[in-house]
Amino acid sequence: MVALFVVLTFLFFILIDLLVLKAQGKEHPAFAVRVFDKRFFFPTEAILSTGHLWLQKAQNGLYKLGIDEFILKALGKLHLVPLKTEGESVSKGEPILQAVFGNRTITFRAPVDGSIRFLNKNIIQKQVDDPYGDDWALLIEPKNDLPVSSAFLKRGNDAIKWLHDEFNRFRDFISAKAGQPELAGVTLQDGGNIVEGVLRSFDDNTIKEFEEQFL
Amino acid sequence: MKQFIPKITFWRVVATIIVVAGLYSTYLRFTGGLGASTNLSDDFPWGLWIGFDILVGVGLAAGGFTICAITHIFNIEKYKPLTRPAILTAFLGYLLVIFGLMYDLGKPYNIWHAIIYWNPRSVMFEVAWCVMLYTTVLFLEFLPIALEKFRLKKLLSFMKKTGILIMITGVILSTLHQSSLGSLFLIVPQKMYPLWYSGLLPLYFFISAVGAGLTMVIFEAYLSARAFNKGIEADLLSRIGLYSVIVLMLGLIIRLVDFFLTDKIHLLFTINNYTLLFYLEILVGTLVPFGLLIQKRIRENRRWLYASSIMVISGFLLNRLNVSITSITPATGVNYFPSINEISVTLMLVTLGMWAFKIIARNFPVFASEVHYENHQLNFDQKLSESNL
Amino acid sequence: MKKQKAILFDVTLCAGCGECYNACKEANHLPETADDFLKDHLSANTYTVVEEYGDVYTRKMCMHCVDPTCVSVCPVGAMEKTELGPVIYDADKCLGCRYCMQACPHHIPRYEWNKINPKVKKCIMCYERVKNGMQTTCAEACPTGATLFGDRDELIKIAQERLSSDPETYYQKIYGLEEAGGTNVLIISPVPFDQLGFAENLPKEALPTYTAKALEKIPGVVAGGGAFLAAMYWLTKRKNQIAAEEKQNKLNSISGDEK
């Protein structure tokens, strides 16, 4: 009897916790967190810039612009803030978009010359869930026609391949940073999978370096 | 200063109620004695506090020494990310066991007598010494984590050099007292229901502690993920899950062979409450989780892994309480059920343990062997207000 | 070694008068616990009772085992088997773990459950009196000779004589001769002992031998386990080193080829 009572008490607390999570509309984080793996998806019609922004042809010569999955996996939960207003023109390399995570940001640079035509109002203060779909950032009208392929703009399998290379580069980057004395003990090899949002663990300098090396 | 006032959450309220109730029971226990606060009697001198706080507490803290053996003695380094949380769980587990003993002992202020009055013939004496020494070992194993925090590099490197000795001592001490908790019951052959009595009780206790201790590492990882909003090392944990059920299955096979050799098989076909509890114990604790986790697809599924770990722990709870309480019941002729005070003190101990784990994990690099989902230091204040327990 | 003292209780002679019960209460300064002594039971304030089973009476008290379980299980040695036979208790050493109560095969030790500073209570065979060459107060008080005090060897002889001279009356067994390794309280009775509430399922070996079997393995576990673990540590460490070196060599040879 006592044995049953103890087991039922244990199960009761676990059940209550699941109900509490449900009432709060949350998922148990152990089930929600995903490992940052190599599996990338990139839409066939889109073009990927080497600054981790994608462009996809919309109507009237306008292109949708958004961030890629890689950024989302590296930073975890984030929301986007456009740095330009509608109608403003932007030249290649100029800051165009910011990703905000926690109290920190990284800045994306424009992949092409052009002018901003429309900002996606739906993403204001909203976490990015679907980077290639509803959660695009803005509509841009490029000055010139986009090339079919270039060192900076990649399509289809090229884009996926490039993302894989970026992933490897990112893993090395994280490993090197994790070897720093103030983060001693952090291992990524053997079992220590990179979890999504791994960059959040690092200090501001590392984030800045990431920005310089990857964006 | 506002962020220092904790937000009211469901589990905080529950925890507060549990602790307040526990403190009231503590007051009753230490002003009125065991009689006023427990349902223990001359006929039934050991109850929930021994069965759960001691036997289950020590058993589930076995994850500490098994993971240490895997990573530091067998040098399988990929499991290193699991070491620190396991050591901390074990350390807190043992401190709670000692804390729990303070309630159960009739004269807690004499607890140190085990150091000066020796009786080497007593299993309890051996357990007392092992628990004392092993708690010290766990402290030493945890110390590097604290030294890292305070950047005491010289001491740290000294600790690392002597580490292996400490680890080996820890594994041996654990082997001794985990099995000796089973030996405690060797001396009551006439009292125990034969389904649970066996000359091999020390071996069963050791094997089941290893199995359930490993599972506790999994369960604890889920708890931490829940509390700190972090990820789990799913690939490592699913392997651990597999090892754990293999160990438990081995234990069950030995147990059944022993039934056969000692002519107890007929008891398995005698239908009564004891047999049913026995079946429940082996089904929930070993057979079903074994059937599940032996399949790669299932053990790599986070939900099934979690469910299996809950089953294994439930089976372990059933086993220890069956040995210490259920099996003693028919011989004593009394139906012991813990008093509300015994229950509330036990709940308080578990709550305090989880609370301590949370505070320590937040302030020391316990999960440092793993890259964090979120940065503890930076989000400290934010999480203080967000977290639940 | 001194001759061990013992008590022989003969159920056939007991009249159920309760003199032993009263004498014990008085000698040990125990408060009254029942109006009718026949309905009383062992407790922290009652070391011996007289129980009525149909038309016979029997006593219950500490059996003072030859190799007492309580003495072997006590972590701090608060229970002691004296040379003279009585099993005595030192409350100053006691932690209150109650293992003695859990382990006692005769279910004898009782606890002061409602005290802050509780003691284990049981018959101590009037140790102070026995030490000074006196008999126990219950034996002294017994008007019928049902409770006899003396050397264990001699009492066994007396019991054996009674059994063999009157096989019609006695159930042919001396309880305590070999129950759990034997006791210093011996009982003979006209009826089987389980009918009098005595444990009949006790093994012949002293119970401490059961745990001794487990405890004697400890040195082996420590030595063998230590050697095994140290060897495993060295082997696996070496294996990891070799693997790392090979990896390094491979890398070197590849980069060598490229040059």
Short mmCIF file of all heavy atoms in Angstrom, two decimals, chain C residues 110-156:
data_model
loop_
_atom_site.label_atom_id
_atom_site.label_comp_id
_atom_site.label_asym_id
_atom_site.label_seq_id
_atom_site.Cartn_x
_atom_site.Cartn_y
_atom_site.Cartn_z
N ARG C 110 11.50 -2.52 22.83
CA ARG C 110 10.41 -1.54 22.73
C ARG C 110 11.01 -0.14 22.82
O ARG C 110 12.13 0.03 23.30
CB ARG C 110 9.39 -1.75 23.86
CG ARG C 110 8.64 -3.06 23.76
CD ARG C 110 7.79 -3.10 22.49
NE ARG C 110 6.84 -4.20 22.48
CZ ARG C 110 7.07 -5.39 21.93
NH1 ARG C 110 8.26 -5.65 21.40
NH2 ARG C 110 6.14 -6.33 21.92
N TYR C 111 10.26 0.84 22.34
CA TYR C 111 10.82 2.18 22.23
C TYR C 111 9.98 3.20 22.97
O TYR C 111 8.76 3.07 23.04
CB TYR C 111 10.88 2.55 20.74
CG TYR C 111 12.00 3.52 20.41
CD1 TYR C 111 13.32 3.23 20.77
CD2 TYR C 111 11.76 4.71 19.75
CE1 TYR C 111 14.34 4.09 20.47
CE2 TYR C 111 12.78 5.58 19.45
CZ TYR C 111 14.07 5.27 19.81
OH TYR C 111 15.10 6.13 19.53
N GLU C 112 10.67 4.21 23.48
CA GLU C 112 9.92 5.31 24.13
C GLU C 112 9.51 6.30 23.05
O GLU C 112 10.14 7.34 22.88
CB GLU C 112 10.81 5.98 25.17
CG GLU C 112 11.18 5.05 26.31
CD GLU C 112 12.07 5.72 27.35
OE1 GLU C 112 12.97 6.48 26.96
OE2 GLU C 112 11.84 5.48 28.55
N TRP C 113 8.46 5.94 22.34
CA TRP C 113 8.08 6.71 21.15
C TRP C 113 7.76 8.15 21.45
O TRP C 113 7.94 9.02 20.60
CB TRP C 113 6.90 6.05 20.45
CG TRP C 113 7.28 4.75 19.84
CD1 TRP C 113 7.03 3.50 20.32
CD2 TRP C 113 8.02 4.56 18.63
NE1 TRP C 113 7.58 2.54 19.49
CE2 TRP C 113 8.18 3.17 18.44
CE3 TRP C 113 8.57 5.43 17.68
CZ2 TRP C 113 8.87 2.64 17.35
CZ3 TRP C 113 9.24 4.90 16.60
CH2 TRP C 113 9.39 3.52 16.44
N ASN C 114 7.25 8.43 22.66
CA ASN C 114 6.77 9.78 22.90
C ASN C 114 7.75 10.64 23.67
O ASN C 114 7.39 11.67 24.22
CB ASN C 114 5.41 9.73 23.60
CG ASN C 114 4.36 9.25 22.63
OD1 ASN C 114 4.26 9.78 21.51
ND2 ASN C 114 3.62 8.23 23.02
N LYS C 115 9.02 10.22 23.69
CA LYS C 115 10.01 11.05 24.38
C LYS C 115 10.92 11.73 23.37
O LYS C 115 11.15 11.23 22.27
CB LYS C 115 10.83 10.18 25.32
CG LYS C 115 10.01 9.72 26.52
CD LYS C 115 10.92 9.30 27.65
CE LYS C 115 10.06 8.91 28.85
NZ LYS C 115 10.85 8.23 29.86
N ILE C 116 11.46 12.87 23.75
CA ILE C 116 12.39 13.59 22.89
C ILE C 116 13.76 12.90 22.95
O ILE C 116 14.56 13.02 22.05
CB ILE C 116 12.57 15.05 23.37
CG1 ILE C 116 11.23 15.67 23.69
CG2 ILE C 116 13.34 15.88 22.36
CD1 ILE C 116 10.44 16.12 22.53
N ASN C 117 13.99 12.25 24.08
CA ASN C 117 15.27 11.60 24.30
C ASN C 117 15.01 10.11 24.54
O ASN C 117 15.20 9.60 25.64
CB ASN C 117 15.91 12.25 25.54
CG ASN C 117 17.34 11.79 25.71
OD1 ASN C 117 17.87 11.07 24.87
ND2 ASN C 117 17.95 12.18 26.80
N PRO C 118 14.55 9.43 23.49
CA PRO C 118 13.99 8.08 23.71
C PRO C 118 15.04 7.01 23.88
O PRO C 118 16.16 7.11 23.36
CB PRO C 118 13.19 7.84 22.42
CG PRO C 118 13.84 8.70 21.38
CD PRO C 118 14.51 9.84 22.09
N LYS C 119 14.67 5.99 24.65
CA LYS C 119 15.55 4.85 24.87
C LYS C 119 14.87 3.59 24.35
O LYS C 119 13.66 3.52 24.27
CB LYS C 119 15.82 4.66 26.37
CG LYS C 119 16.59 5.78 27.02
CD LYS C 119 16.92 5.34 28.45
CE LYS C 119 17.38 6.49 29.30
NZ LYS C 119 16.26 7.33 29.80
N VAL C 120 15.72 2.60 24.03
CA VAL C 120 15.21 1.27 23.75
C VAL C 120 15.02 0.59 25.10
O VAL C 120 15.88 0.68 25.97
CB VAL C 120 16.21 0.49 22.88
CG1 VAL C 120 15.76 -0.95 22.71
CG2 VAL C 120 16.36 1.16 21.52
N LYS C 121 13.87 -0.06 25.29
CA LYS C 121 13.59 -0.69 26.57
C LYS C 121 13.35 -2.18 26.39
O LYS C 121 12.61 -2.58 25.49
CB LYS C 121 12.36 -0.03 27.22
CG LYS C 121 12.55 1.45 27.58
CD LYS C 121 13.59 1.60 28.62
CE LYS C 121 13.35 2.48 29.80
NZ LYS C 121 12.08 2.84 30.31
N LYS C 122 13.96 -2.95 27.24
CA LYS C 122 13.72 -4.40 27.25
C LYS C 122 14.29 -4.98 28.53
O LYS C 122 15.04 -4.31 29.24
CB LYS C 122 14.36 -5.05 26.03
CG LYS C 122 15.88 -5.05 26.07
CD LYS C 122 16.43 -5.91 24.99
CE LYS C 122 17.88 -6.26 25.25
NZ LYS C 122 18.08 -7.14 26.42
N CYS C 123 13.93 -6.22 28.80
CA CYS C 123 14.46 -6.95 29.95
C CYS C 123 15.97 -7.04 29.83
O CYS C 123 16.49 -7.36 28.76
CB CYS C 123 13.85 -8.35 29.98
SG CYS C 123 14.81 -9.58 30.90
N ILE C 124 16.70 -6.75 30.92
CA ILE C 124 18.15 -6.87 30.86
C ILE C 124 18.62 -7.96 31.83
O ILE C 124 19.77 -8.00 32.25
CB ILE C 124 18.84 -5.53 31.17
CG1 ILE C 124 18.28 -4.94 32.47
CG2 ILE C 124 18.66 -4.54 30.03
CD1 ILE C 124 19.15 -3.83 33.02
N MET C 125 17.74 -8.86 32.13
CA MET C 125 18.01 -9.99 33.03
C MET C 125 18.61 -9.51 34.34
O MET C 125 19.56 -10.11 34.86
CB MET C 125 18.93 -11.02 32.36
CG MET C 125 18.65 -12.46 32.78
SD MET C 125 19.98 -13.55 32.31
CE MET C 125 19.24 -14.49 31.01
N CYS C 126 18.04 -8.46 34.87
CA CYS C 126 18.49 -7.88 36.14
C CYS C 126 20.01 -7.90 36.25
O CYS C 126 20.57 -8.48 37.21
CB CYS C 126 17.86 -8.62 37.32
SG CYS C 126 16.08 -8.46 37.36
N TYR C 127 20.67 -7.31 35.28
CA TYR C 127 22.12 -7.46 35.17
C TYR C 127 22.86 -7.08 36.44
O TYR C 127 23.80 -7.76 36.86
CB TYR C 127 22.64 -6.65 33.99
CG TYR C 127 24.12 -6.79 33.79
CD1 TYR C 127 24.69 -8.05 33.58
CD2 TYR C 127 24.96 -5.69 33.81
CE1 TYR C 127 26.05 -8.20 33.39
CE2 TYR C 127 26.33 -5.82 33.63
CZ TYR C 127 26.87 -7.09 33.43
OH TYR C 127 28.22 -7.24 33.26
N GLU C 128 22.42 -6.01 37.09
CA GLU C 128 23.12 -5.58 38.31
C GLU C 128 23.06 -6.64 39.40
O GLU C 128 24.04 -6.89 40.10
CB GLU C 128 22.53 -4.26 38.82
CG GLU C 128 22.91 -3.03 37.99
CD GLU C 128 24.43 -2.84 37.87
OE1 GLU C 128 25.12 -3.01 38.90
OE2 GLU C 128 24.91 -2.57 36.75
N ARG C 129 21.90 -7.28 39.51
CA ARG C 129 21.73 -8.34 40.52
C ARG C 129 22.58 -9.55 40.14
O ARG C 129 23.31 -10.10 40.98
CB ARG C 129 20.27 -8.76 40.61
CG ARG C 129 19.34 -7.71 41.17
CD ARG C 129 17.90 -8.14 40.99
NE ARG C 129 17.62 -9.40 41.67
CZ ARG C 129 17.01 -9.50 42.85
NH1 ARG C 129 16.62 -8.41 43.48
NH2 ARG C 129 16.79 -10.67 43.40
N VAL C 130 22.49 -9.95 38.83
CA VAL C 130 23.20 -11.15 38.37
C VAL C 130 24.71 -10.98 38.55
O VAL C 130 25.41 -11.89 38.99
CB VAL C 130 22.85 -11.43 36.90
CG1 VAL C 130 23.76 -12.52 36.33
CG2 VAL C 130 21.39 -11.85 36.77
N LYS C 131 25.17 -9.75 38.30
CA LYS C 131 26.59 -9.47 38.42
C LYS C 131 27.05 -9.70 39.87
O LYS C 131 28.17 -10.12 40.12
CB LYS C 131 26.85 -8.02 38.00
CG LYS C 131 28.21 -7.80 37.40
CD LYS C 131 28.30 -6.48 36.66
CE LYS C 131 27.94 -5.28 37.51
NZ LYS C 131 28.15 -4.00 36.80
N ASN C 132 26.14 -9.42 40.78
CA ASN C 132 26.49 -9.56 42.19
C ASN C 132 26.12 -10.93 42.74
O ASN C 132 25.96 -11.11 43.94
CB ASN C 132 25.81 -8.47 43.01
CG ASN C 132 26.37 -7.11 42.66
OD1 ASN C 132 27.57 -6.97 42.41
ND2 ASN C 132 25.50 -6.11 42.57
N GLY C 133 25.92 -11.88 41.84
CA GLY C 133 25.68 -13.25 42.27
C GLY C 133 24.26 -13.53 42.70
O GLY C 133 23.97 -14.59 43.27
N MET C 134 23.34 -12.59 42.46
CA MET C 134 21.95 -12.83 42.85
C MET C 134 21.18 -13.36 41.65
O MET C 134 21.64 -13.32 40.51
CB MET C 134 21.29 -11.54 43.33
CG MET C 134 21.95 -10.98 44.58
SD MET C 134 21.62 -9.22 44.75
CE MET C 134 19.94 -9.28 45.30
N GLN C 135 19.99 -13.91 41.92
CA GLN C 135 19.17 -14.32 40.80
C GLN C 135 18.25 -13.17 40.38
O GLN C 135 18.13 -12.17 41.05
CB GLN C 135 18.37 -15.57 41.13
CG GLN C 135 17.51 -15.44 42.38
CD GLN C 135 16.70 -16.70 42.61
OE1 GLN C 135 16.38 -17.43 41.67
NE2 GLN C 135 16.33 -16.97 43.84
N THR C 136 17.64 -13.36 39.20
CA THR C 136 16.79 -12.28 38.71
C THR C 136 15.59 -12.13 39.63
O THR C 136 15.18 -13.08 40.31
CB THR C 136 16.26 -12.57 37.29
OG1 THR C 136 15.48 -13.76 37.33
CG2 THR C 136 17.39 -12.73 36.29
N THR C 137 15.02 -10.94 39.60
CA THR C 137 13.94 -10.67 40.54
C THR C 137 12.70 -11.49 40.20
O THR C 137 11.94 -11.88 41.07
CB THR C 137 13.65 -9.16 40.62
OG1 THR C 137 12.45 -8.96 41.30
CG2 THR C 137 13.54 -8.54 39.27
N CYS C 138 12.51 -11.82 38.89
CA CYS C 138 11.33 -12.62 38.52
C CYS C 138 11.46 -14.04 39.04
O CYS C 138 10.49 -14.64 39.50
CB CYS C 138 11.09 -12.59 37.02
SG CYS C 138 12.50 -13.11 36.02
N ALA C 139 12.70 -14.58 38.97
CA ALA C 139 12.90 -15.94 39.45
C ALA C 139 12.71 -16.00 40.97
O ALA C 139 12.13 -16.94 41.51
CB ALA C 139 14.30 -16.42 39.09
N GLU C 140 13.20 -14.93 41.62
CA GLU C 140 13.08 -14.87 43.07
C GLU C 140 11.62 -14.79 43.49
O GLU C 140 11.20 -15.40 44.48
CB GLU C 140 13.84 -13.64 43.57
CG GLU C 140 14.07 -13.62 45.05
CD GLU C 140 14.83 -12.35 45.44
OE1 GLU C 140 14.19 -11.29 45.54
OE2 GLU C 140 16.06 -12.44 45.59
N ALA C 141 10.83 -14.07 42.68
CA ALA C 141 9.45 -13.83 43.07
C ALA C 141 8.55 -15.02 42.77
O ALA C 141 7.47 -15.15 43.35
CB ALA C 141 8.91 -12.59 42.35
N CYS C 142 8.97 -15.89 41.85
CA CYS C 142 8.07 -16.95 41.38
C CYS C 142 7.75 -17.94 42.50
O CYS C 142 8.65 -18.59 43.04
CB CYS C 142 8.70 -17.69 40.21
SG CYS C 142 7.60 -18.95 39.50
N PRO C 143 6.48 -18.09 42.88
CA PRO C 143 6.12 -18.96 43.99
C PRO C 143 6.06 -20.43 43.59
O PRO C 143 6.10 -21.30 44.45
CB PRO C 143 4.74 -18.46 44.41
CG PRO C 143 4.16 -17.85 43.18
CD PRO C 143 5.31 -17.35 42.35
N THR C 144 5.96 -20.74 42.29
CA THR C 144 5.76 -22.14 41.88
C THR C 144 7.02 -22.77 41.31
O THR C 144 7.02 -23.95 40.98
CB THR C 144 4.67 -22.23 40.80
OG1 THR C 144 5.14 -21.54 39.63
CG2 THR C 144 3.36 -21.64 41.26
N GLY C 145 8.07 -21.96 41.12
CA GLY C 145 9.28 -22.50 40.50
C GLY C 145 9.18 -22.60 39.00
O GLY C 145 9.98 -23.28 38.36
N ALA C 146 8.20 -21.96 38.42
CA ALA C 146 8.07 -21.98 36.95
C ALA C 146 9.23 -21.24 36.31
O ALA C 146 9.71 -21.63 35.26
CB ALA C 146 6.75 -21.35 36.52
N THR C 147 9.68 -20.17 36.95
CA THR C 147 10.84 -19.43 36.45
C THR C 147 12.05 -19.79 37.31
O THR C 147 12.05 -19.52 38.51
CB THR C 147 10.60 -17.91 36.52
OG1 THR C 147 9.47 -17.61 35.73
CG2 THR C 147 11.81 -17.15 36.01
N LEU C 148 13.01 -20.45 36.68
CA LEU C 148 14.22 -20.84 37.40
C LEU C 148 15.39 -20.03 36.87
O LEU C 148 15.49 -19.77 35.68
CB LEU C 148 14.53 -22.31 37.17
CG LEU C 148 13.76 -23.37 37.96
CD1 LEU C 148 14.32 -24.74 37.62
CD2 LEU C 148 13.85 -23.10 39.46
N PHE C 149 16.32 -19.68 37.75
CA PHE C 149 17.51 -18.98 37.34
C PHE C 149 18.71 -19.84 37.65
O PHE C 149 18.77 -20.50 38.69
CB PHE C 149 17.62 -17.63 38.06
CG PHE C 149 18.84 -16.85 37.69
CD1 PHE C 149 18.84 -16.07 36.53
CD2 PHE C 149 20.00 -16.92 38.48
CE1 PHE C 149 19.97 -15.35 36.18
CE2 PHE C 149 21.12 -16.20 38.12
CZ PHE C 149 21.11 -15.41 36.98
N GLY C 150 19.72 -19.86 36.76
CA GLY C 150 20.91 -20.65 37.05
C GLY C 150 21.87 -20.64 35.88
O GLY C 150 21.74 -19.83 34.97
N ASP C 151 22.84 -21.58 35.91
CA ASP C 151 23.75 -21.69 34.78
C ASP C 151 23.01 -22.32 33.61
O ASP C 151 22.20 -23.23 33.80
CB ASP C 151 24.95 -22.57 35.16
CG ASP C 151 25.80 -21.89 36.22
OD1 ASP C 151 25.70 -20.64 36.32
OD2 ASP C 151 26.53 -22.60 36.95
N ARG C 152 23.35 -21.85 32.40
CA ARG C 152 22.62 -22.32 31.22
C ARG C 152 22.76 -23.84 31.06
O ARG C 152 21.77 -24.54 30.85
CB ARG C 152 23.11 -21.60 29.96
CG ARG C 152 22.26 -21.93 28.73
CD ARG C 152 22.57 -21.01 27.57
NE ARG C 152 21.63 -21.23 26.47
CZ ARG C 152 21.88 -21.97 25.38
NH1 ARG C 152 23.06 -22.55 25.24
NH2 ARG C 152 20.97 -22.12 24.45
N ASP C 153 23.98 -24.36 31.22
CA ASP C 153 24.21 -25.80 31.04
C ASP C 153 23.33 -26.61 31.99
O ASP C 153 22.71 -27.59 31.60
CB ASP C 153 25.67 -26.19 31.36
CG ASP C 153 26.67 -25.24 30.76
OD1 ASP C 153 26.21 -24.34 30.00
OD2 ASP C 153 27.86 -25.39 31.03
N GLU C 154 23.30 -26.17 33.23
CA GLU C 154 22.54 -26.93 34.22
C GLU C 154 21.05 -26.87 33.96
O GLU C 154 20.34 -27.85 34.10
CB GLU C 154 22.86 -26.43 35.62
CG GLU C 154 24.12 -27.09 36.15
CD GLU C 154 24.65 -26.40 37.39
OE1 GLU C 154 23.83 -25.86 38.15
OE2 GLU C 154 25.89 -26.39 37.56
N LEU C 155 20.59 -25.65 33.55
CA LEU C 155 19.17 -25.52 33.28
C LEU C 155 18.76 -26.39 32.09
O LEU C 155 17.67 -26.95 32.05
CB LEU C 155 18.82 -24.04 33.00
CG LEU C 155 18.88 -23.14 34.24
CD1 LEU C 155 18.57 -21.70 33.87
CD2 LEU C 155 17.93 -23.63 35.33
N ILE C 156 19.65 -26.50 31.10
CA ILE C 156 19.35 -27.37 29.95
C ILE C 156 19.21 -28.82 30.42
O ILE C 156 18.29 -29.52 30.04
CB ILE C 156 20.47 -27.26 28.88
CG1 ILE C 156 20.41 -25.87 28.22
CG2 ILE C 156 20.31 -28.34 27.81
CD1 ILE C 156 21.56 -25.59 27.27
#
